[in-house]
Amino acid sequence: MKTADPELMRAINRLNVLDTIRRHGPISRVEISERTQLSTTTVSAITASLLDDGLILPRHEGDIRNEAARGRPRVMLELNPDAARVVGAKIAANRLVFVVTDFRGDMLSKLTLPIRIDRQPIGVIADLVEDGVRRCVVDAGLSLEEVDTVCLGLPGVIEHRTGHIRSSPIFRDTNVDFASEMTARLNTPTIVESDAHAITLAHHWFGKARDLEDMVLISLEQTLGLGVLHDNQLFRGAGGLSHNLGDLVLGMGARGIVRLSSQAGESEILGEQPASGRFAEAIRLGRGMAHAQALIKAEDNTLISAAIRAGEAVGVAIANIVTLFAPPRVILVGSSLALGEPFLDSLRNAYALAVPPSLKGVAELVFDDSTDDFWAQGAAAVALYELYESPWNTTGPAF
Amino acid sequence: MKTADPELMRAINRLNVLDTIRRHGPISRVEISERTQLSTTTVSAITASLLDDGLILPRHEGDIRNEAARGRPRVMLELNPDAARVVGAKIAANRLVFVVTDFRGDMLSKLTLPIRIDRQPIGVIADLVEDGVRRCVVDAGLSLEEVDTVCLGLPGVIEHRTGHIRSSPIFRDTNVDFASEMTARLNTPTIVESDAHAITLAHHWFGKARDLEDMVLISLEQTLGLGVLHDNQLFRGAGGLSHNLGDLVLGMGARGIVRLSSQAGESEILGEQPASGRFAEAIRLGRGMAHAQALIKAEDNTLISAAIRAGEAVGVAIANIVTLFAPPRVILVGSSLALGEPFLDSLRNAYALAVPPSLKGVAELVFDDSTDDFWAQGAAAVALYELYESPWNTTGPAF
DNA sequence: TACCTTTTCAACGGTATGCGAATTAAATAG
DNA sequence: CTATTTAATTCGCATACCGTTGAAAAGGTA
């Protein structure tokens, strides 16, 4: 357990103030004091220190004065966008998406590489990722030295603390120390995080969970992932490793274990199609879901029934997650949502059936079809969050 | 978010020291300093304050001096047993178990009432519980005024923060404010907690998880419960409510949803027996599982196959829990363990099959057949834990 | 234009915390 | 009886928070 000394105390309050400024846009000191319950004195001291460190900026121009415009006007404070730059990336089987953001999480540049990388040797993947990061940084008009942290979000079971990838559909090998590898290549601190965790944080910072302290997110991509927000923090399992929803067991059929991934994995849904012609080509290029959507509209019965089965399986899995975590909101993201109504309807129905009566109405299902940028932005947010906490603890006293 | 002031700092370090003393028996100040990473100065100040408050005691007698017996001898410190008294209770469908413990969690008296209370009106249950608490307190040679807190552990979905019982097999009604009811009756602060959470804490304090910071416990009783220890703390879902494992869905059969409770609930396993004769009588009296054990030994095939099916279902459920929490140890408790080898073997097999390959070997299954006292002692531990944190924050500065 | 009101924010003193160095305390070795 | 060793306390310092006070900035009013 960490020992509580003045330094920790300071760090906590600093983070609290900084986070308040981040979340509530340009904000005055008085309002910070109200929100954080800290005295105006303390807020003044902390903001002075933050200003001194260049993390925040005063805003004079465009002071939208309130109606009751008496007295000394408030000085609005906001994050200094230039305080840091980070790179966030979404690494998927058939595409790489990079984003450079400033300290506020605003996108400075983005780069999408629609290339298939899964099952490539690690060296090749690392090459491609390195290249993408460098390009995207140049696109933003920066050099890598100006980037503070890189965060790579990828599917699978990731051990966040150590940066080890326990298993991922992208890598042939297991237990890859990808964080060290990329840190060495880029000569920039690089962290590795589950893509589901990344977009969970994205929704908490910018998306559909800004108002919540607790929340669950289900990502339906090639891999089925889970992100849990508990008390404004990412809940990482024991040992800090991420969850792989696809490994959940839904039942014991005649021929053994039935896992969620075998019912609702992207390749399993699409795989039942005759692997020929335009559709197979689309799958190879990672456009499988978009194409599937078209086929469903054209009433392709094989695919529709696969989508329905997948929806049922996911709905039941979500009900089980809700049974365990009782979150007020469940956000669903990922390419499988593109399957459309047949999938979503059966998901909703199965969920309604499977959720225990005592928890009926507790959780609200929200579907979200964000673009890939958003995932990458989430990875950037993970990087920023790490920055918030660590390096400025060492700044020393405010004066 | 709580504001970090010196008071909080103090509370954290105080709790840390107190917890260290609790866990590591009689312990000297130097060793506390080593374990907590606090300076000897701070430890001295805090222990002085704790001594002043009467929460701990110095131990002079029987100073087992180490071999290397040079220098001033260490003064060992330990919890003052008399610093507080609490009552813990396990409330089950067919029995009430009460325990009075001292500040260390040691049992002073216990009382078991083998009576069937489920489906009684709330008033009747409250009467019986009140009576049991009072009796047990008298047995310990105390009066209720000397008891600081009462904690009742019972099955179902409990909202710990508010003391509301959302649903329980014991109550006909839902959403019962049992904590307020009993607080008023006993005129002593009474808290309500899930029985699974209680025994989870019991194992962390006294049992098979003393060495762990993360752990999962599965309780197999009339109701199937779950307790999660995360970072030395009970993990309570959003809103602080407990989990009901029985609501987990294991599959969609031909006639709809199949929940775990329908496969592995106590009444479901035993219910398939012809409800007549000695066995039915045993069930009514809450000895069902013991009797079932005998029948299984006598190779009652109906019962054996029910036990095997239940074992499979539980094994799969545990695998899913492990997929989500990745704990180093899973402890199984509860009356259903008495079903013996057929049940346990099929559980182990199903678990081995269902646990994802990437997590194989991560979690160790441990079976525990503690007596009912232990559950009640866990409830007492919950009460003690609340005491640790709250009331002595107000003690003021140490001097 | 000069003065007053209102509000923000920085400066000062008070009290709490924890830490490091020096000091006292208690026991053994010679 | 003295020297040595280890434990625990005391003292002084740095930091953090908070409440109060007073200066600064803007608008309103005579």
Side-chain angles (χ1 to χ4, degrees):
Chain A
M1 192 167 170
K2 244 191 313 196
T3 142
D5 49 12
E7 200 179 323
L8 175 69
M9 188 163 131
R10 185 119 210 291
I12 292 174
N13 286 335
R14 234 180 118 92
L15 180 63
N16 202 346
V17 169
L18 193 55
D19 207 52
T20 305
I21 296 175
R22 178 185 68 76
R23 292 170 69 148
H24 304 283
I27 184 176
S28 68
R29 290 178 177 80
V30 233
E31 206 177 337
I32 295 172
S33 165
E34 284 164 11
R35 284 190 184 277
T36 59
Q37 304 280 29
L38 263 50
S39 73
T40 59
T41 301
T42 306
V43 171
S44 254
I46 292 177
T47 51
S49 148
L50 292 173
L51 282 165
D52 195 56
D53 291 348
L55 299 187
I56 60 174
L57 289 177
R59 172 184 237 176
H60 298 289
E61 15 112 14
D63 281 352
I64 305 137
R65 312 252 7 227
N66 296 351
E67 354 54 59
R70 313 258 303 192
R72 178 176 174 176
R74 308 178 166 185
V75 178
M76 297 311 221
L77 302 171
E78 61 185 344
L79 289 193
N80 179 2
D82 302 332
R85 320 283 191 181
V86 297
V87 178
K90 165 168 179 145
I91 299 178
N94 46 44
R95 63 200 184 279
L96 303 176
V97 182
F98 302 90
V99 157
V100 175
T101 82
D102 58 24
F103 192 56
R104 288 167 38 183
D106 288 346
M107 213 182 294
L108 299 180
S109 71
K110 72 175 175 186
L111 172 66
T112 304
L113 300 178
I115 46 179
R116 174 158 217 90
I117 59 161
D118 62 331
R119 306 290 160 179
Q120 293 282 358
I122 296 174
V124 174
I125 298 178
D127 272 348
L128 292 167
V129 171
E130 181 185 349
D131 206 47
V133 170
R134 290 184 184 278
R135 266 173 211 272
C136 198
V137 169
V138 170
D139 286 355
L142 300 170
S143 79
L144 248 182
E145 286 81 47
E146 298 172 86
V147 171
D148 295 82
T149 314
V150 176
C151 176
L152 309 172
L154 37 84
V157 179
I158 318 287
E159 205 174 307
H160 171 262
R161 272 183 217 159
T162 63
H164 279 64
I165 298 172
R166 290 281 276 261
S167 76
S168 173
I170 290 178
F171 290 106
R172 271 185 287 205
D173 304 299
T174 57
N175 225 20
V176 181
D177 185 1
F178 203 53
S180 302
E181 170 75 20
M182 295 310 297
T183 299
R185 280 170 176 261
L186 295 168
N187 199 26
T188 305
T190 303
I191 54 188
V192 171
E193 180 59 280
S194 146
D195 59 351
H197 283 175
I199 194 161
T200 302
L201 198 58
H203 271 289
H204 187 219
W205 278 31
F206 318 111
K208 295 186 165 139
R210 249 174 302 187
D211 50 333
L212 295 177
E213 304 193 327
D214 300 274
M215 178 266 282
V216 160
L217 178 142
I218 312 264
S219 90
L220 306 165
E221 296 254 309
Q222 189 191 10
T223 292
L224 298 134
L226 172 69
V228 177
L229 190 77
H230 183 250
D231 216 13
N232 283 320
Q233 288 200 302
L234 279 178
F235 177 78
R236 300 186 172 105
L241 43 79
S242 65
H243 329 267
N244 186 3
L245 265 197
D247 286 334
L248 284 184
V249 172
L250 290 180
M252 314 259 294
R255 22 177 235 290
I257 298 288
V258 180
R259 290 195 195 279
L260 179 57
S261 58
S262 74
Q263 299 289 302
E266 193 177 292
S267 55
E268 281 72 19
I269 300 172
L270 302 179
E272 303 189 2
Q273 291 300 308
S276 64
R278 287 229 299 269
F279 194 42
E281 188 67 11
I283 292 176
R284 248 181 52 82
L285 296 177
R287 300 264 167 76
M289 278 299 164
H291 205 98
Q293 200 175 6
L295 286 180
I296 282 177
K297 280 220 181 88
E299 301 190 358
D300 177 317
N301 282 324
T302 319
L303 192 53
I304 288 179
S305 69
I308 289 176
R309 211 168 44 250
E312 271 175 15
V314 173
V316 169
I318 293 174
N320 283 347
I321 300 285
V322 168
T323 301
L324 294 178
F325 293 99
R329 190 174 298 160
V330 178
I331 299 179
L332 290 104
V333 301
S335 55
S336 294
L337 295 185
L339 287 171
E341 286 314 315
F343 175 73
L344 299 183
D345 282 344
S346 77
L347 188 157
R348 268 187 285 250
N349 289 338
Y351 171 75
L353 269 172
V355 74
S358 62
L359 292 177
K360 198 147 281 179
V362 164
E364 145 197 38
L365 294 193
V366 174
F367 300 92
D368 175 67
D369 53 351
S370 306
T371 56
D372 284 327
D373 318 344
F374 199 60
W375 294 67
Q377 217 178 341
V382 172
L384 287 174
Y385 191 80
E386 306 260 314
L387 280 182
Y388 276 15
E389 295 192 282
S390 48
W392 290 292
N393 288 347
T394 58
T395 306
F399 51 119
Chain B
M1 192 166 171
K2 243 192 313 198
T3 144
D5 48 13
E7 198 179 325
L8 175 69
M9 193 162 127
R10 185 118 209 290
I12 292 174
N13 287 334
R14 234 180 118 93
L15 180 62
N16 202 349
V17 168
L18 193 56
D19 206 53
T20 306
I21 297 175
R22 178 185 68 76
R23 291 170 69 148
H24 304 283
I27 185 176
S28 67
R29 291 177 176 79
V30 234
E31 207 178 336
I32 295 173
S33 163
E34 286 163 9
R35 283 191 185 277
T36 59
Q37 305 279 27
L38 262 50
S39 75
T40 60
T41 302
T42 305
V43 171
S44 252
I46 292 176
T47 52
S49 148
L50 292 173
L51 282 164
D52 196 55
D53 290 348
L55 300 187
I56 60 174
L57 288 177
R59 170 184 237 175
H60 297 289
E61 15 111 16
D63 283 354
I64 306 138
R65 311 247 13 219
N66 295 350
E67 351 59 55
R70 313 259 305 190
R72 175 177 178 176
R74 307 177 167 187
V75 176
M76 298 309 219
L77 302 171
E78 61 187 344
L79 290 193
N80 179 3
D82 303 330
R85 320 283 191 182
V86 298
V87 178
K90 165 167 179 146
I91 299 177
N94 47 44
R95 64 200 183 281
L96 302 176
V97 182
F98 301 90
V99 157
V100 174
T101 81
D102 59 23
F103 193 55
R104 286 167 40 183
D106 289 345
M107 214 183 292
L108 299 181
S109 71
K110 72 175 175 187
L111 172 67
T112 304
L113 300 177
I115 46 179
R116 175 157 218 91
I117 59 161
D118 63 329
R119 306 291 161 180
Q120 292 283 357
I122 296 174
V124 175
I125 298 178
D127 272 348
L128 292 166
V129 170
E130 181 185 349
D131 207 47
V133 170
R134 289 184 186 278
R135 267 174 211 272
C136 199
V137 168
V138 169
D139 287 354
L142 300 170
S143 77
L144 250 181
E145 285 82 46
E146 297 172 86
V147 171
D148 295 84
T149 315
V150 176
C151 176
L152 310 172
L154 38 83
V157 179
I158 318 286
E159 206 174 306
H160 170 264
R161 269 182 220 161
T162 62
H164 279 65
I165 299 171
R166 292 279 276 258
S167 75
S168 172
I170 290 179
F171 291 105
R172 270 185 287 207
D173 305 300
T174 57
N175 225 20
V176 181
D177 186 1
F178 203 53
S180 303
E181 170 73 21
M182 294 310 297
T183 299
R185 280 170 176 262
L186 296 168
N187 199 25
T188 304
T190 303
I191 55 187
V192 172
E193 180 59 280
S194 146
D195 59 353
H197 283 177
I199 194 161
T200 301
L201 198 59
H203 271 288
H204 187 220
W205 278 31
F206 317 111
K208 297 190 162 133
R210 251 173 300 188
D211 50 331
L212 295 177
E213 304 192 327
D214 300 274
M215 177 267 280
V216 159
L217 177 141
I218 314 266
S219 90
L220 307 166
E221 295 254 310
Q222 189 192 10
T223 292
L224 299 134
L226 171 70
V228 177
L229 190 77
H230 183 250
D231 215 14
N232 282 320
Q233 289 199 301
L234 279 178
F235 177 78
R236 300 188 172 102
L241 44 79
S242 65
H243 328 270
N244 185 3
L245 265 197
D247 287 333
L248 284 184
V249 173
L250 289 180
M252 314 259 292
R255 15 177 242 289
I257 299 287
V258 179
R259 291 195 195 277
L260 179 57
S261 57
S262 74
Q263 301 288 302
E266 196 179 288
S267 54
E268 282 72 18
I269 300 172
L270 303 179
E272 302 190 1
Q273 291 299 308
S276 64
R278 288 228 299 267
F279 193 42
E281 188 68 11
I283 292 177
R284 247 179 54 80
L285 296 176
R287 301 265 168 76
M289 279 299 165
H291 204 97
Q293 202 174 5
L295 285 179
I296 282 177
K297 279 219 180 91
E299 301 190 359
D300 177 316
N301 282 324
T302 320
L303 192 53
I304 289 179
S305 68
I308 289 176
R309 212 169 42 251
E312 270 176 15
V314 174
V316 168
I318 294 175
N320 283 349
I321 300 286
V322 168
T323 301
L324 293 178
F325 292 99
R329 189 173 299 159
V330 177
I331 299 179
L332 290 104
V333 299
S335 54
S336 295
L337 295 184
L339 288 171
E341 287 314 315
F343 176 72
L344 298 182
D345 282 344
S346 79
L347 189 158
R348 267 188 285 252
N349 289 337
Y351 172 75
L353 267 172
V355 73
S358 62
L359 291 178
K360 197 148 283 183
V362 163
E364 148 198 34
L365 294 195
V366 173
F367 299 92
D368 174 68
D369 53 352
S370 306
T371 56
D372 283 329
D373 318 345
F374 199 59
W375 294 67
Q377 218 179 341
V382 172
L384 288 174
Y385 192 80
E386 306 260 315
L387 279 183
Y388 277 13
E389 295 191 282
S390 48
W392 290 292
N393 289 346
T394 57
T395 306
F399 51 124

